Every structure is written in C-alpha cells, then in structure tokens.
Amino acid sequence: MEAPPVSVLPITGGTINMMEYLLQGSVLDQALESLLHRLRGLCDNMEPETFADHELVYLLKGQQGNPFLLRARRSLSHPTVPWHLRYLGQPEVGDKSRHALVRNCVDVAASHSLPDFLNEMGFRMDHEFIAKGHIFRKGVLKVVVSKLSRILVPGNTENTEPLSLSYLVELSVLAPAGQDTMSEDMRSFAEQLKPLVHLEKIDPKRHM
Amino acid sequence: MGVTCVCQVPLAEGKSVQQTIDILHKKLEQLSAVKQGNFTVDCETYHATGNASGQPTKLLYVMHNSETPLSCLALFEGGPCLTADGNFDVLMIKLKSHFQNAKGHKVESRGSRYRYCDFLIKVGAVTMSSSARGISVEVEYCPCVVPGDCWNLMKEFMQSFLGPSIPELPSVFATKPEGLYVPADCVDTMTQYLELFSKVRKQQVLPGTTR
C-alpha cells in the first residue's frame, strides 16, 4: 500500500478563491415544459438530471456586524451522499456594466454530522426549504430550474407547500477570481432563452 | 484501514528526539519492516470569539492526516466532529472574525511510514512552533476492525520494537471493545492524536531539542 504524497496546499486568499457568477429569473408553472424543451436543445447532450434537495440556512450572530450566513444542503433523492455546505460572500461592487452578479463562493463537502456540528459552532438555523427541479449543463455553465417549497412542520420534509406558482431559473458558473469573460458568455446564453425567461443580475440586498 | 493505536514514546536514556527515532527505525528495519514514504498529521486550534463572559472559550480543532490528503477533520473535544473536504480550511479563513486561529498552538507529527506484513507503523517527531516536543508512534493492524479481537496481537507486536514502553488500551476502544472501529473516516485515530497533542501542549519543551 503506497503512501499518499505528503504535500502542502497553498491556503492563501488569492490562489483558491472561487467566484460564483449568477443570473436569475423565473417562469410560471405553465411555461416550464417549453423552457425545459429549449434547454434540452441548447445544453449538453446528457441524461436529464432531476434533483430534490433540502436546504437549511444557518446564521452565526457575532459581536458586531452582519450575521455570518452558511447554507447546508442535502439530497433527498440520494440520502447517503455527503452534505454540501456553501458560503457566499457579498456581491462584488464594481463594474456596473458587468452582466452577472459576482460573489466569492466556498463549497465544502461534509459528513452527516453537519447540523449538530454547526450548532456546536454557535450557528442557529434561520430557515429551511425544499428545492426540486432539473439541472442542465453547457460546458462550465450550469442551469438550474427549481421549485421551492416551504416546510410546514420543522424537520418534516414530506409536508411541504410551494412558495409560489413559478419556478426559479438560475444560470451560474464557478470560476477562479479574475475571469471576467464569464459574464459575457452567460449573457449570450441568456439571450438564447428569451423570451421564455429573462435572466438578469439580481441584487440580493435590494430584496432583504 | 484497520484498528489503529497512537501512543507517545518516551525518549531513550540520554538521547535526543531524533536519536530515539533513529533507534526505533533501526529496530523496525531489523524486523524487516519496509519504509514506504512519509506521513504527517497536524492539528490547528481555533478559539471561538464572542462567547458570553464567564463561559469557557470553546476550542475547535481542525486536523489533517496525509493518509486522507483531501479531507480534514474538525472537532470539539468531547463534542461532535465533522469530516469535510480541504475547502473547510478556506471556510475557517472566512470565519476568522468568529474563530481565531491560535497559530502558536499548531502541533504536528511528521516522520516515516513503515510497512511490516499486515501492520503499518508511523514514527513521528511531534513539534509545536518548530520545537520538538516528543515522539508519536502509530500502529495500525490493517485486516481487523474490531479492537477486542486484535488488541493482544497489537500489544505483542509493539513490544517487539517498543520494548517495555507499550501503551494501555486507548480510551476510544474502551467504549467499544466488541464493537466496530470506524476506520473509514479516521475519527478514532484522530481522536487519539488529539489526546496526544493535548498532552504534548501541556508538557514543557524538552531540553536541548530545538530542530
């Protein structure tokens, strides 16, 4: 049994800072099929992928400043798969002509003890929801069409109620910091989805 | 992965850390163990800030093991633990205003990895802030996952190169003498390293052993 190589990973802010580029929109339930049909045509040829996830949003209230937010997501359709923990930073304020929302993103795969561990760290669950839908890919672009539902009884993922009569459509790319050409590629892809859905840069702060 | 025991070995009479490690290596080679690369296990400590005054500060330990290079283990002593991928370290950097890294408290054990038949032996120099604090020996009996079934065999094997300084049954085994070990996520092994590192932190720096 060979020893794995002993290496030191460079954990510095710059080298492995990933950014998420995001455009969002929505379609009414009635329009879903047309959108899926167009996405099947535009995106990479692969088996249609559906998902059912349970997301819990945790907050850590510090002594000052805004609370620290973490999103913990687990698959309801694949219960043994690790949890996905995600940190999203503040949107980059900069070039107004940049077409997509850009923010720092850290994704961590974690074991099933994640909720207990977050509680021990001081995080408290703020809210939870179910997301069910479809995923498409085109190269590095990812399109997620999801129906969000609220959980009526905490902890019971069977008893849910849709939040709205529409599906959330998100076009996103994960890339190392500095690759600004991404938002151009995203914009031209988004053009091809008009008029079925209008994907735009949504400022999360305006909706808080 | 099999049942693993981690213990601290005292220095040989009148010898330094490196000299004692060399003696152990020689004994292993005499047994015809084969060196197979190196290993490193480290542990970083984070203090939770923002605790209500009067409450003891919570300590969060984040450990890495070269046997599982893409993972890290985060744990609270006596509390829940989490196995996560390497990005957890990046997340801790983002959390720096809530959890401060006590850089001076980082402890690591580095050394050679030997294989002898079904045993894996790792002899490491334990250092804290670049000063050598002791020697750790990890012995893994790969074919077995039930501590109760192989502890006597492991003790006999350890005696053949550690002599009289063989350890007692590790406390992680005491809770599950006939139960399954959990080698898949290294939790029991890392818990033993954490106990060893905590002991080493409290010890004084060994005289004449700066690297």
Side-chain angles (χ1 to χ4, degrees):
Chain A
M1 220 172 42
E2 268 305 305
V6 172
S7 59
V8 180
L9 290 172
I11 312 278
T12 58
T15 46
I16 50 179
N17 245 341
M18 292 300 270
M19 306 303 279
E20 184 199 44
Y21 295 78
L22 180 68
L23 288 175
Q24 290 175 309
S26 65
V27 290
L28 290 175
D29 290 349
Q30 305 89 287
L32 177 71
E33 276 314 311
S34 325
L35 176 64
L36 294 180
H37 186 79
R38 184 166 301 185
L39 284 169
R40 266 181 226 123
L42 289 173
C43 292
D44 291 345
N45 192 13
M46 42 175 258
E47 283 304 306
E49 208 176 311
T50 56
F51 68 92
D53 287 348
H54 174 202
E55 181 163 318
L56 299 89
V57 180
Y58 285 87
L59 290 178
L60 178 62
K61 298 200 163 86
Q63 283 160 335
Q64 69 233 109
N66 291 330
F68 193 92
L69 196 146
L70 279 180
R71 296 176 175 276
R73 207 154 183 174
R74 67 171 174 128
S75 174
L76 293 171
S77 42
H78 301 94
T80 55
V81 157
W83 284 64
H84 175 194
L85 185 63
R86 179 169 253 215
Y87 162 76
L88 290 167
Q90 291 303 319
E92 262 190 11
V93 179
D95 196 359
K96 287 255 157 45
S97 67
R98 199 189 271 154
H99 302 291
L101 183 73
V102 184
R103 46 194 184 172
N104 183 215
C105 173
V106 180
D107 289 306
V108 185
S111 58
H112 290 255
S113 51
L114 184 63
D116 287 339
F117 194 80
L118 287 174
N119 281 330
E120 190 72 21
M121 282 177 87
F123 283 88
R124 293 292 170 262
M125 190 185 77
D126 184 66
H127 62 274
E128 54 181 341
F129 58 90
I130 303 282
K132 287 189 182 170
H134 305 255
I135 300 183
F136 298 86
R137 270 173 256 270
K138 185 169 176 64
V140 293
L141 296 175
K142 181 169 87 170
V143 184
V144 180
V145 180
S146 46
K147 180 69 134 163
L148 302 181
S149 305
R150 87 176 62 161
I151 293 176
L152 296 168
V153 176
N156 185 348
T157 55
E158 304 291 315
N159 205 357
T160 62
E161 166 190 272
L163 272 172
S164 68
L165 298 170
S166 43
Y167 276 75
L168 176 66
V169 185
E170 293 173 298
L171 171 64
S172 63
V173 182
L174 266 184
Q179 288 195 8
D180 279 346
T181 51
M182 282 303 157
S183 50
E184 262 311 307
D185 297 338
M186 291 171 76
R187 196 181 67 87
S188 48
F189 185 82
E191 285 297 312
Q192 296 180 70
L193 290 178
K194 289 180 178 171
L196 288 175
V197 64
H198 287 269
L199 293 175
E200 1 175 72
K201 177 166 101 169
I202 308 263
D203 180 3
K205 282 209 276 275
R206 287 219 319 248
H207 297 264
M208 298 280 261
Chain B
M1 277 198 86
V3 175
T4 306
C5 168
V6 178
C7 61
Q8 191 174 0
V9 166
L11 294 186
E13 193 71 42
K15 304 277 181 194
S16 71
V17 167
Q18 196 50 52
Q19 287 168 330
T20 310
I21 288 178
D22 290 339
I23 292 171
L24 289 172
H25 285 173
K26 241 199 216 86
K27 287 203 182 135
L28 284 167
E29 279 156 17
Q30 274 169 356
L31 281 175
S32 62
V34 173
K35 183 171 153 154
Q36 278 189 345
N38 297 316
F39 82 98
T40 176
V41 173
D42 68 57
C43 175
E44 294 182 52
T45 309
Y46 291 85
H47 296 275
T49 60
N51 266 3
S53 57
Q55 272 181 358
T57 321
K58 250 188 209 166
L59 290 178
L60 168 64
Y61 299 102
V62 180
M63 303 182 72
H64 305 88
N65 186 340
S66 55
E67 288 297 304
T68 53
L70 300 178
S71 305
C72 71
L73 186 75
L75 59 157
F76 289 94
E77 200 153 21
C81 69
L82 183 78
T83 308
D85 67 22
N87 263 357
F88 190 79
D89 292 318
V90 180
L91 187 64
M92 289 311 292
I93 296 176
K94 302 292 177 193
L95 274 166
K96 60 176 181 253
S97 55
H98 298 268
F99 287 92
Q100 280 174 349
N101 188 343
K103 292 207 165 70
H105 280 226
K106 178 170 176 174
V107 184
E108 64 175 25
S109 177
R110 244 173 220 275
S112 302
R113 191 180 181 271
Y114 281 86
R115 182 164 193 112
Y116 174 67
C117 303
D118 292 329
F119 291 94
L120 264 178
I121 310 106
K122 296 175 198 158
V123 181
V126 180
T127 56
M128 181 164 146
S129 319
S130 328
S131 67
R133 300 293 195 100
I135 300 169
S136 72
V137 169
E138 179 192 322
V139 174
E140 179 187 341
Y141 181 57
C142 306
C144 183
V145 294
V146 182
D149 285 349
C150 62
W151 177 241
N152 286 329
L153 175 64
M154 287 176 74
K155 261 206 311 201
E156 204 179 302
F157 172 66
M158 287 193 280
Q159 202 160 40
S160 66
F161 69 100
L162 288 177
S165 2
I166 48 167
E168 293 297 313
L169 183 76
S171 51
V172 288
F173 294 174
T175 51
K176 47 180 133 189
E178 297 311 317
L180 265 187
Y181 192 61
V182 267
D185 57 10
C186 292
V187 171
D188 287 339
T189 307
M190 298 307 256
T191 308
Q192 293 182 64
Y193 268 108
L194 185 63
E195 280 172 16
L196 192 155
F197 289 166
S198 299
K199 240 188 279 176
V200 152
R201 262 190 215 105
K202 296 187 185 121
Q203 280 169 355
Q204 285 177 325
V205 179
L206 298 167
T209 53
T210 49
R211 264 170 150 218

